Amino acid sequence: MNTTSKNNHIPRATIQRLATYMQVLEFMKKNNVEVTSSEPLASACDVNASQVRKDLAYFGEFGVRGVGYYVDYLLEAIRACLHANREWRAALIGVGNLGRALLNHQEFPRRGIRIVGAFDCDPFKIGETIYGLEIFCSKRLQEKVPKQNIELGIITTPPERVQRAADQLIEAGVKGILNFTSARIVVPSNVSVEYVDFFHQIYALTFNISTRP
Amino acid sequence: MNTTSKNNHIPRATIQRLATYMQVLEFMKKNNVEVTSSEPLASACDVNASQVRKDLAYFGEFGVRGVGYYVDYLLEAIRACLHANREWRAALIGVGNLGRALLNHQEFPRRGIRIVGAFDCDPFKIGETIYGLEIFCSKRLQEKVPKQNIELGIITTPPERVQRAADQLIEAGVKGILNFTSARIVVPSNVSVEYVDFFHQIYALTFNISTRP
DNA sequence: TCGTGTGAAAATATTCACAGCC
DNA sequence: GGCTGTGAATATTTTCACACGA
């Protein structure tokens, strides 16, 4: 399985759709569907069938002409494309409500994301143990990130502190940041940032609802 | 302020960026910035300055040539574009961990989203009161949605139950659904659906990190 | 025959560049 | 002089349509 064949730039939309295909394929697998094809996969994801084929073509050839795709094989192929087929170690900064919820979120370990460090700058929280994880002062990221082989940072601080948290994570050497804060951050170009803010989806809803027949 | 002038189709990406501009403008407002221009706004959002102007142009003219944009005015204008400048009433189905966290999330009321009904199908939860809201059986959506003027549904059930929850919401008359489940749903074309799944962002991260120099 | 993989065509989105207005 | 608003140019993404292989 060759997942690096076409090294030309891959649209971000393609990456998002691959994640969606994964979800649908997992659902199919759970329902003992062994073979599928671009059409049902596409319609489950509300896209065009050739879109599915084109998205996959960026990475290689995973189907069988005249037959379709073996669910299990395609699932593994997509996991490999997204590099979701290995363990990723993460640090979480900001142990408030949301932070705690994420620390307890079973979907993370199920998908190979291990949150192995919890950090905060509140002296009352430092030292506390939550879900088996001791909370450290954010200043100790410097020391813990390399030691624990942490590559991802998850920020769940209040928005005022997000930039400082990001700076500390980057200084400590993480390669990617997942920002749950509503504020934007500035990072050097060798670090990736993704924003999680479901109000974007809410506004897409309110807009769509309001501008319909 | 005319926010419906150009009725041609508006790209989804534009809607998403408008939500981002809102966040940045709110940040500026909090920092007492009164006037800005497309350049600083664009660079804070990692887009091109003419992208900002083009996005706004879909809805009208909100700037002053030679000057820029008045933060407060632009903010209100964008809110109006997204229909985020009024109250929206929502029902939540699935009072598990995530559901509870959302019911307690202060950002909802702050942004005019009022969750006025909580529903579940677990008999042990029905009747319980959480954050001042009684939990009702999902079957009562039919009756509660019209009575309480609910337009949005928020689904936080386990994925196996998401389709049924969606069917009940739609049957009861909601116009838009925010699906926090990892499963896809099928809805009639007069209902809008948005998916919230931060693993999409995580996979964007793992992909980006892994396919860099 | 059926469904993939893929060039070519069409549709969309982004960026440029500058006229127009403060 | 400076920055918006916008048509025109460019770039990107999606869709079509069909050759090819199982």
Side-chain angles (χ1 to χ4, degrees):
Chain A
M1 185 189 313
N2 175 7
T3 57
T4 53
S5 43
K6 314 278 168 63
N7 253 350
N8 349 11
H9 171 254
I10 290 160
R12 195 207 148 79
T14 290
I15 300 302
Q16 298 284 30
R17 283 190 298 264
L18 287 172
T20 305
Y21 304 155
M22 256 184 66
Q23 304 280 30
V24 171
L25 288 165
E26 280 173 5
F27 181 80
M28 287 176 172
K29 183 176 177 179
K30 200 154 53 181
N31 288 75
N32 300 311
V33 179
E34 292 192 348
V35 182
T36 188
S37 62
S38 57
E39 212 308 302
L41 190 47
S43 71
C45 302
D46 295 311
V47 300
N48 185 292
S50 39
Q51 183 77 82
V52 171
R53 301 199 297 273
K54 187 61 60 116
D55 285 337
L56 296 174
Y58 281 110
F59 294 93
E61 307 194 0
F62 308 115
V64 183
R65 292 176 192 218
V67 176
Y69 301 95
Y70 292 99
V71 170
D72 224 26
Y73 178 81
L74 183 57
L75 194 46
E76 278 316 308
I78 296 179
R79 283 217 182 94
C81 298
L82 298 177
H83 300 265
N85 59 346
R86 71 164 177 92
E87 183 177 293
W88 288 85
R89 297 165 70 81
L92 182 143
I93 310 198
V95 189
N97 273 333
L98 178 59
R100 274 170 228 271
L102 294 182
L103 286 171
N104 189 35
H105 194 43
Q106 296 311 307
E107 202 69 6
F108 277 116
R110 227 181 57 66
R111 294 190 176 270
I113 312 289
R114 286 216 190 300
I115 305 181
V116 296
F119 299 84
D120 206 295
C121 61
D122 178 348
F124 286 97
K125 288 178 186 160
I126 293 166
E128 192 186 320
T129 292
I130 178 159
Y131 302 119
L133 220 52
E134 183 179 347
I135 301 174
F136 290 107
C137 174
S138 310
K139 288 179 183 152
R140 299 188 60 187
L141 276 163
Q142 196 64 242
E143 149 209 355
K144 296 280 184 185
V145 165
K147 198 190 289 176
Q148 302 214 64
N149 253 296
I150 291 169
E151 294 173 280
L152 301 177
I154 301 173
I155 305 182
T156 48
T157 61
E160 310 82 77
R161 279 199 277 279
V162 64
Q163 183 66 57
R164 202 171 54 136
D167 292 343
Q168 290 172 317
L169 283 165
I170 294 162
E171 172 91 2
V174 305
K175 298 174 187 162
I177 292 176
L178 194 62
N179 179 5
F180 279 86
T181 287
S182 61
R184 309 272 310 173
I185 53 180
V186 179
V187 303
S189 66
N190 63 331
V191 174
S192 297
V193 181
E194 289 290 323
Y195 294 84
V196 179
D197 180 356
F198 59 77
F199 280 94
H200 285 216
Q201 277 100 330
I202 290 186
Y203 295 138
L205 271 189
T206 57
F207 173 79
N208 282 324
I209 291 172
S210 309
T211 57
R212 246 171 220 279
Chain B
M1 187 189 313
N2 174 9
T3 57
T4 50
S5 43
K6 315 277 169 62
N7 253 349
N8 350 10
H9 172 255
I10 290 160
R12 195 209 148 79
T14 290
I15 300 302
Q16 298 284 28
R17 281 190 299 262
L18 287 173
T20 305
Y21 304 155
M22 256 184 65
Q23 304 280 29
V24 171
L25 289 165
E26 280 173 5
F27 181 80
M28 287 177 172
K29 183 176 175 179
K30 200 154 54 182
N31 288 74
N32 301 309
V33 178
E34 293 191 347
V35 183
T36 187
S37 63
S38 56
E39 212 308 301
L41 191 47
S43 70
C45 302
D46 295 312
V47 299
N48 185 292
S50 39
Q51 182 78 82
V52 171
R53 301 199 296 273
K54 187 61 60 118
D55 284 339
L56 297 174
Y58 282 111
F59 294 93
E61 307 192 0
F62 308 115
V64 184
R65 292 173 194 220
V67 177
Y69 302 94
Y70 292 99
V71 170
D72 224 26
Y73 179 81
L74 184 57
L75 194 46
E76 278 316 308
I78 295 179
R79 282 217 183 93
C81 298
L82 299 178
H83 300 265
N85 59 345
R86 70 164 178 91
E87 183 178 294
W88 289 85
R89 298 165 69 81
L92 182 143
I93 311 199
V95 190
N97 272 334
L98 177 60
R100 272 171 230 271
L102 294 183
L103 286 171
N104 188 35
H105 192 44
Q106 296 311 307
E107 202 69 6
F108 277 117
R110 227 181 57 66
R111 295 191 175 269
I113 312 289
R114 288 220 187 299
I115 305 182
V116 296
F119 299 84
D120 206 296
C121 62
D122 177 348
F124 286 98
K125 288 178 186 160
I126 294 166
E128 190 186 323
T129 292
I130 177 160
Y131 303 120
L133 220 52
E134 183 179 347
I135 301 174
F136 290 106
C137 173
S138 309
K139 287 179 185 153
R140 299 188 59 186
L141 276 163
Q142 197 63 242
E143 149 209 355
K144 296 280 184 187
V145 164
K147 197 188 292 175
Q148 302 214 65
N149 254 297
I150 290 169
E151 294 172 280
L152 301 177
I154 299 173
I155 307 182
T156 47
T157 62
E160 310 81 77
R161 280 199 277 279
V162 64
Q163 183 65 57
R164 203 171 54 138
D167 292 343
Q168 290 173 316
L169 283 165
I170 293 162
E171 172 91 2
V174 304
K175 298 173 186 164
I177 291 176
L178 194 62
N179 179 6
F180 278 86
T181 287
S182 61
R184 309 274 308 173
I185 54 180
V186 179
V187 303
S189 66
N190 63 331
V191 175
S192 296
V193 182
E194 289 288 325
Y195 293 84
V196 179
D197 181 356
F198 59 76
F199 280 95
H200 286 216
Q201 277 99 332
I202 290 186
Y203 295 138
L205 271 189
T206 57
F207 173 78
N208 282 326
I209 291 172
S210 309
T211 57
R212 244 172 221 280

